[in-house]
């Protein structure tokens, strides 16, 4: 059994999608949710789906020891970021080389970097008059959104699209592709 730890800061819709994908798997499971936000919706989703969740402070996260201890406790093989907004400390990256992935709501390198997440990205895409956008699944390194790209998928942006329209198209891509790519990467380790 390969155990996934999901790091999330928000409502947890991508985390729930990943949990549901592997719920009945004999090979892969989401073992724990870790979050820096005690009031994040991901905790309710995790509880409803029978996955333990754990909250840490930003100081605990940056020091890394407690997080590494939790990851070890849950025999974590792979880390999935799902709407997680903090930069991953070097200790954790060293402990999980090429075993931490993130999903970003644009076609990187466009619209990436610190502060570019969620609706900020979708508004920027619409404001720039882009005709295509999408998702990028990438390995995590010490810099925001600069790790090696694993997978990209795109969708059209129509002249009439609002940021909400773009968000809906991007979420559809996330839900369709993220669990599949996770499964493919886990088959290699």
């Amino acid at each position: 059994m390969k155990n996934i730890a999901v790091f999330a800061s928000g409502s947890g819709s991508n985390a729930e999608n990943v949990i549901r994908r592997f719920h009945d798997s004999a090979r892969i499971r989401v073992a724990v949710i870790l979050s820096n936000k005690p009031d994040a919706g991901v905790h309710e989703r995790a509880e409803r789906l029978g996955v333990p969740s754990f909250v840490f402070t930003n100081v605990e996260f940056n020091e890394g020891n407690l997080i590494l201890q939790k990851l070890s406790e849950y025999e974590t093989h792979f880390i999935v970021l799902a709407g997680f907004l903090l930069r991953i400390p070097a200790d954790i990256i060293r402990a999980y080389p090429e075993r931490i992935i993130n999903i970003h709501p644009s076609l990187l390198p466009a619209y990436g970097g610190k502060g570019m997440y969620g609706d900020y990205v979708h508004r920027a895409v619409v404001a720039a008059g882009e005709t295509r956008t999408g998702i990028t699944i990438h390995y995590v390194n010490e810099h925001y959104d600069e790790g090696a790209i694993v997978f990209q998928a795109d969708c059209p942006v129509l002249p009439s699209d609002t940021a909400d329209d773009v968000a809906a198209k991007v979420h559809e891509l996330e839900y369709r592709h993220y669990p599949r790519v996770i499964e493919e990467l886990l088959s290699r380790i």
Side-chain angles (χ1 to χ4, degrees), residues 47-189:
E47 183 177 359
R48 190 174 67 246
L49 297 166
V51 175
S53 64
F54 175 75
V55 177
F56 52 82
T57 67
N58 290 355
V59 170
E60 290 168 332
F61 185 66
N62 288 324
E63 288 175 352
N65 293 334
L66 177 66
I67 305 306
L68 288 170
Q69 185 178 18
K70 279 288 175 195
L71 294 170
S72 176
E73 179 183 329
Y74 286 94
E75 300 177 358
T76 302
H77 295 93
F78 202 75
I79 299 170
V80 171
L81 308 187
F84 188 68
L85 303 180
L86 300 179
R87 189 173 57 80
I88 305 299
D91 306 9
I92 297 173
I93 292 169
R94 278 193 299 273
Y96 290 88
E98 293 195 354
R99 289 188 289 144
I100 306 172
I101 60 169
N102 183 41
I103 189 164
H104 187 77
S106 75
L107 298 170
L108 291 175
Y111 306 103
K114 185 171 175 57
M116 290 303 288
Y117 60 90
D119 287 337
Y120 295 109
V121 173
H122 307 312
R123 282 187 285 225
V125 164
V126 170
E130 298 288 353
T131 59
R132 303 217 57 83
T133 191
I135 61 166
T136 302
I137 299 169
H138 64 92
Y139 287 114
V140 172
N141 65 15
E142 296 83 14
H143 307 284
Y144 284 107
D145 302 324
E146 292 183 15
I149 293 172
V150 175
F151 176 84
Q152 290 185 309
D154 68 341
C155 60
V157 179
L158 303 176
S160 60
D161 279 347
T162 66
D164 288 341
D165 296 329
V166 172
K169 293 176 186 182
V170 169
H171 285 307
E172 184 180 318
L173 292 174
E174 291 172 344
Y175 301 153
R176 184 177 340 139
H177 295 291
Y178 207 21
R180 181 186 57 73
V181 171
I182 291 166
E183 186 169 19
E184 184 180 307
L185 293 173
L186 276 166
S187 72
R188 300 178 194 169
I189 62 171

